[in-house]
Amino acid sequence: MADAYILDYSRFSGVDQSLSQLDTPLHATHDAQNITVAGGILMTAPNDEVVYDPQKGPVMSIIQRVCLDADEKPITELYIATDTKTYWLDESTGSWEETQIIYDQTQGRFDYVNYSVGDTYYTILANGCEEVGVWDGGGYCESFGPETVFSSVCLHYERIWGTGNPAYHQRVWYSDAYEANDWFGAGSGSVDVYSPTTAKTVAIRSLFNELV
């Protein structure tokens, strides 16, 4: 699951910013940049130093969404997810604002991938409980039926791939090319993996020109 990311501490309010990333080696102080979610709060790795508690309950995931700013330049936005809610960091105020992304969310441990087609930027989210969500930044995600309950997603050759559906233990789905929100059209489909027959697919990743 995607629960560790490279983040810049300047994105967090209430964290000591006395040293820049050029003043000290990575992990040397709490100004290090490698942050992970552990025990429901944000921590540095590898020494598990608590650096920030957003006071929204146990944090299960960190999500970095790629989108366009008012000048149509790519930027990243920071989100955190608890098991039932998702919050967006308003950098102008330093506050976390509740954002509705997954309808009736029951699991906050998200795997996700960012993808763009032209000037439309999508964030594809999977948590293993709800249908995969394709989010364009406004309102709830678009969802696609119980077959697309994935625990893991990735981007490979301009298609979104997903797996980990508890009802289809060995199946991998893929979207149409350049269409993150088309899972049942002519260019989309699924593949069953039978090796061995008792195995379960739990994650999927793109590695060079292969899927693993």
Side-chain angles (χ1 to χ4, degrees):
M1 303 298 291
D3 60 357
Y5 308 100
I6 301 300
L7 302 176
D8 188 334
Y9 267 34
S10 65
R11 304 293 292 274
F12 294 86
S13 63
V15 178
D16 186 355
Q17 301 295 327
S18 60
L19 296 176
S20 76
Q21 64 187 42
L22 300 179
D23 292 329
T24 184
L26 193 65
H27 306 310
T29 74
H30 50 271
D31 289 74
Q33 288 183 286
N34 193 2
I35 301 176
T36 186
V37 172
I41 53 179
L42 308 185
M43 306 174 120
T44 59
N47 54 358
D48 289 340
E49 177 187 359
V50 177
V51 295
Y52 188 74
D53 186 346
Q55 302 293 320
K56 297 298 183 183
V59 175
M60 305 306 294
S61 298
I62 303 171
I63 300 165
Q64 290 189 88
R65 170 172 163 74
V66 178
C67 55
L68 297 178
D69 64 11
D71 297 321
E72 297 188 349
K73 295 180 180 179
I75 60 170
T76 58
E77 294 182 336
L78 190 61
Y79 296 77
I80 56 173
T82 68
D83 273 340
T84 58
K85 296 181 180 179
T86 307
Y87 299 88
W88 163 69
L89 178 60
D90 184 344
E91 296 190 38
S92 65
T93 64
S95 61
W96 294 92
E97 304 295 335
E98 184 177 343
T99 303
Q100 296 176 329
I101 297 179
I102 298 291
Y103 187 73
D104 284 344
Q105 176 186 322
T106 62
Q107 166 62 266
R109 189 173 293 278
F110 283 104
D111 197 14
Y112 74 94
V113 62
N114 287 299
Y115 183 54
S116 64
V117 179
D119 59 358
T120 302
Y121 283 70
Y122 301 102
T123 302
I124 296 90
L125 300 122
N127 66 0
C129 292
E130 280 77 50
E131 300 166 18
V132 65
V134 176
W135 193 50
D136 62 6
Y140 286 112
C141 283
E142 183 177 0
S143 55
F144 304 93
E147 295 90 346
T148 63
V149 176
F150 304 143
S151 62
S152 183
V153 289
C154 74
L155 172 65
H156 184 72
Y157 283 112
E158 304 305 331
R159 284 182 165 87
I160 306 301
W161 299 71
T163 194
N165 188 319
Y168 303 89
H169 295 305
Q170 297 181 317
R171 190 164 296 177
V172 175
W173 279 262
Y174 54 91
S175 72
D176 198 354
Y178 303 98
E179 296 289 348
N181 53 0
D182 186 350
W183 290 88
F184 298 104
S188 61
S190 63
V191 177
D192 286 330
V193 182
Y194 294 105
S195 179
T197 56
T198 56
K200 297 180 180 180
T201 57
V202 296
I204 188 166
R205 289 292 180 263
S206 176
L207 181 65
F208 301 109
N209 63 341
E210 304 288 343
L211 282 168
V212 295

